[in-house]
Amino acid sequence: MTNNLLAGTVQAAASGLTGFDCDFALSLTYATDLKNRGYDFCIRYLSLSTPQQSGDLTTAEANDILSSGLALMAVQHVQDSGWSPGESQGTALGTVAAANAQSIGLPAGMNIWCDLEGLTAGTSPQLVIDYCNAWYKAVLAAGYVPVLTNRS
C-alpha cells in the first residue's frame, strides 16, 4: 500500500449535488472548468487489474480534481459486455479495486463503487448475488465503503 496524501477528506455528501463520471484523466484546468459550470463531484475509474492502467485515476489526478473544488469518488471498470459473475471473481476484483484505491492514496471510509452492467443474458441471480457479496466483502475489508451501481 502506498501512503499518498490527497488534498481532501472523506465527508458525507449532501443530497441534490450534481456530478459526473469520466472515463479519461482530468487536468486541473478541465476539472476547475467543470466545477465553475456547476458540478459538485466527479467519479473516476479504478482498473480491473493492478497496477492502475493508463487513463485510469492516479494520485496526481485525484489531487487535481480535489484542488479544483470537486469532490471525488471512485468506481471500478466493468468487464466487457457479456461477462458472467461468480463469487471467486467478486473476491478477486474487489481485492483489485481496494488495492488500486490504496495505491492512489484514497482514504479509508471513502465510497468505492462496483459497476454491475453488461452481464450475460440469463445469468443466474444467485451468481450475481455471490459476486456482489464477495466484491463487497473484499472492498469493506480494506476499509472502504462499497456501493453498487447498475446503469443498464
Side-chain angles (χ1 to χ4, degrees):
M1 177 172 121
T2 303
N3 290 319
N4 300 312
L5 298 177
L6 298 181
T9 58
V10 176
Q11 299 177 12
S15 70
L17 297 178
T18 302
F20 60 94
D21 75 326
C22 184
D23 197 19
F24 59 87
L26 293 174
S27 67
L28 175 58
T29 300
Y30 193 46
T32 301
D33 182 55
L34 291 166
K35 175 64 176 170
N36 291 338
R37 291 174 185 265
Y39 288 98
D40 301 300
F41 67 89
C42 172
I43 302 173
R44 281 288 285 123
Y45 285 85
L46 300 173
S47 299
L48 290 169
S49 61
T50 57
Q52 280 284 87
Q53 302 299 300
S54 177
D56 289 337
L57 184 62
T58 65
T59 302
E61 181 192 5
N63 274 316
D64 283 348
I65 291 167
L66 294 169
S67 294
S68 77
L70 290 170
L72 174 64
M73 289 183 273
V75 61
Q76 188 175 40
H77 278 289
V78 69
Q79 295 188 64
D80 291 335
S81 187
W83 67 284
S84 298
E87 182 177 0
S88 62
Q89 187 178 36
T91 298
L93 290 178
T95 300
V96 165
N100 285 334
Q102 290 170 338
S103 75
I104 294 162
L106 300 180
M110 183 174 169
N111 289 119
I112 304 294
W113 292 79
C114 174
D115 193 352
L116 186 65
E117 60 183 300
L119 299 174
T120 299
T123 298
S124 157
Q126 190 59 53
L127 288 175
V128 176
I129 292 166
D130 293 346
Y131 174 87
C132 291
N133 284 336
W135 190 94
Y136 179 98
K137 288 175 187 174
V139 171
L140 184 66
Y144 295 102
V145 178
V147 185
L148 174 67
T149 182
N150 179 348
R151 299 176 295 167
S152 53

